[in-house]
C-alpha cells in the first residue's frame, strides 16, 4: 500500500447469486462495512442482480461494478450489455479482460482495448485484468506477457484518462486454485506494471494508478499482500461470496 493511493477492494461474484441471495449478502456486507472509511469497496454482481444491488447500496459507502460490457454503444449484439445500460444502474466500475473471459470467451487485447475506451468515454472506471498462465511463468515469460496485455489493452488512451483505470494483476494459476502468489511475486510484477505505466504516460500518472492483486485472496493472506508498496487492494472471487471473509479482507487494508 502507498498512502498516496486510496485502497480499492472489489468483489467479483462471477456467475453466482440469485437476486434474493445477492440481496441477503449485500445486507450483511452493508452492516459490517458501515464504519469503514478511506477504502473503496466495489461489489460486482452478475448483470441480473445489478438493479437490486444498486438500489440496496444507494447512500452507503459501497460502490457498484459490472463484470463485463460490450465496446459498441448499441445495436445488434444479442446477449451483450452496453456501457450506457450499466451507467443507468449507477455502476461506476466494470471488470474488463478477466482471464476467464479471455480463456473461455475469446477476449483479446484488442477487444479489451475497445471496451476500455468505451468505458472511459462513458465515465465508467475499468478494472483491467492482466496475468500470466503457469506455463508462461515457468518459461520465464511473465513480464513479456503482462507487458503486451498492458500496452495493448491500454493502447491509445491519454494520460488524463489513464488516471481512471484500475489494473488488476491476476496470475491465471492463482485464480480459484488456492495457490496465491507470494507477496514478493505479486509485488515484483506490480512494480513492473507501474514501470510500464511510467514509460507510457509519465511518473506522475504511474504513481496515481491503483494496481490491485487478484488470485485466491483470503483473510489469511490479504494483510501480507497489502504490505507491499505496489499492491493497492484486491480483486476477490471466492472469498467475496461470504460477507465475513470479504470484510476481513477489506479491513486488512488498514
Ligand atoms: P479468486 O478469484 O479470488 O476466487 O481466486 C479472483 C478473480 O478471478 O477475480
Amino acid at each position: 500500500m502507498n498512502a498516496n493511493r486510496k485502497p480499492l477492494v472489489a468483489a467479483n461474484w462471477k456467475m453466482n447469486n440469485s437476486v434474493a441471495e445477492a440481496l441477503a449478502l449485500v445486507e450483511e456486507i452493508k452492516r459490517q462495512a458501515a464504519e469503514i472509511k478511506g477504502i473503496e469497496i466495489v461489489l460486482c454482481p452478475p448483470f441480473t442482480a445489478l438493479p437490486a444491488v444498486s438500489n440496496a447500496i444507494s447512500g452507503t459507502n459501497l460502490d457498484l461494478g459490472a463484470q463485463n460490457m460490450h465496446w459498441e454503444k448499441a445495436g445488434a449484439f444479442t446477449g451483450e450489455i452496453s456501457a450506457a445500460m450499466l451507467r443507468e444502474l449507477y455502476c461506476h466500475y466494470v471488470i474488463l479482460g478477466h482471464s476467464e473471459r479471455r480463456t473461455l470467451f475469446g477476449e483479446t487485447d484488442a477487444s479489451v482495448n475497445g471496451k476500455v475506451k468505451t468505458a472511459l468515454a462513458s465515465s465508467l472506471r475499468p478494472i483491467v485484468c492482466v496475468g500470466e498462465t503457469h506455463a508462461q511463468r515457468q518459461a520465464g515469460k511473465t513480464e513479456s506477457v503482462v507487458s503486451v496485455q498492458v500496452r495493448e489493452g491500454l493502447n491509445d488512451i491519454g494520460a488524463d484518462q489513464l488516471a481512471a483505470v484500475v489494473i488488476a494483476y491476476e496470475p491465471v494459476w492463482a485464480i480459484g486454485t488456492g495457490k496465491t502468489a507470494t507477496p514478493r511475486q505479486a509485488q515484483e510484477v506490480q512494480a513492473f506494471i507501474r514501470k510500464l505505466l511510467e514509460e507510457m504516460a509519465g511518473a506522475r500518472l504511474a504513481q496515481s494508478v491503483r494496481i490491485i492483486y487478484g488470485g485466491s485472496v483470503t483473510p489469511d493472506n490479504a494483510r501480507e499482500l497489502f504490505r507491499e508498496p505496489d499492491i493497492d487492494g484486491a480483486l476477490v472471487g471466492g472469498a467475496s461470496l461470504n460477507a465475513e471473509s470479504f470484510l476481513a479482507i477489506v479491513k486488512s487494508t488498514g
Side-chain angles (χ1 to χ4, degrees):
M1 296 264 153
N2 176 313
N4 296 323
R5 295 185 291 271
K6 192 171 186 182
L8 185 149
V9 178
N12 177 8
W13 292 355
K14 309 193 181 184
M15 197 171 72
N16 295 293
N17 288 332
S18 65
V19 174
E21 287 164 343
L23 282 175
L25 180 53
V26 167
E27 282 314 310
E28 200 46 42
I29 293 174
K30 242 163 75 170
R31 202 174 53 74
Q32 294 189 36
E35 307 297 319
I36 298 175
K37 290 196 178 71
I39 304 168
E40 275 186 74
I41 308 170
V42 183
L43 305 181
C44 305
F47 291 130
T48 48
L50 282 173
V53 173
S54 179
N55 204 29
I57 65 175
S58 156
T60 70
N61 57 345
L62 305 172
D63 214 332
L64 192 65
Q67 299 174 19
N68 183 30
M69 54 163 253
H70 195 60
W71 60 83
E72 291 289 353
K73 285 204 170 83
F77 302 101
T78 302
E80 293 293 329
I81 297 283
S82 76
M85 292 168 183
L86 298 179
R87 287 287 303 171
E88 190 184 18
L89 299 175
Y90 302 101
C91 265
H92 293 126
Y93 286 89
V94 59
I95 299 171
L96 295 176
H98 189 282
S99 72
E100 284 149 19
R101 300 228 43 98
R102 293 177 190 259
T103 316
L104 304 170
F105 303 101
E107 288 205 14
T108 62
D109 291 323
S111 65
V112 171
N113 184 238
K115 292 178 180 199
V116 172
K117 286 177 176 162
T118 303
L120 289 169
S122 313
S123 301
L124 276 169
R125 292 167 170 255
I127 301 175
V128 181
C129 303
V130 300
E132 81 289 358
T133 63
H134 182 65
Q136 289 165 334
R137 176 165 279 266
Q138 291 298 97
K141 292 189 182 147
T142 299
E143 291 196 351
S144 59
V145 167
V146 168
S147 168
V148 169
Q149 290 172 335
V150 170
R151 285 186 188 279
E152 295 190 4
L154 302 181
N155 183 38
D156 203 19
I157 291 166
D160 50 330
Q161 292 211 294
L162 278 179
V165 171
V166 175
I167 296 180
Y169 169 55
E170 298 208 304
V172 179
W173 48 270
I175 296 176
T177 58
K179 290 190 199 130
T180 332
T182 63
R184 187 165 166 191
Q185 283 173 323
Q187 166 59 26
E188 265 172 20
V189 179
Q190 300 197 193
F192 171 75
I193 293 172
R194 204 173 298 286
K195 215 177 75 211
L196 279 176
L197 291 172
E198 185 174 334
E199 284 167 25
M200 291 164 66
R204 194 152 165 203
L205 182 279
Q207 283 306 315
S208 73
V209 170
R210 268 93 54 92
I211 306 176
I212 61 178
Y213 168 80
S216 298
V217 177
T218 66
D220 294 331
N221 56 36
R223 193 169 291 280
E224 243 193 314
L225 286 160
F226 297 155
R227 254 188 224 128
E228 298 294 335
D230 288 296
I231 301 183
D232 303 316
L235 181 53
V236 187
S240 75
L241 295 171
N242 173 284
E244 206 117 299
S245 55
F246 180 61
L247 264 301
I249 293 167
V250 169
K251 287 175 186 161
S252 303
T253 57

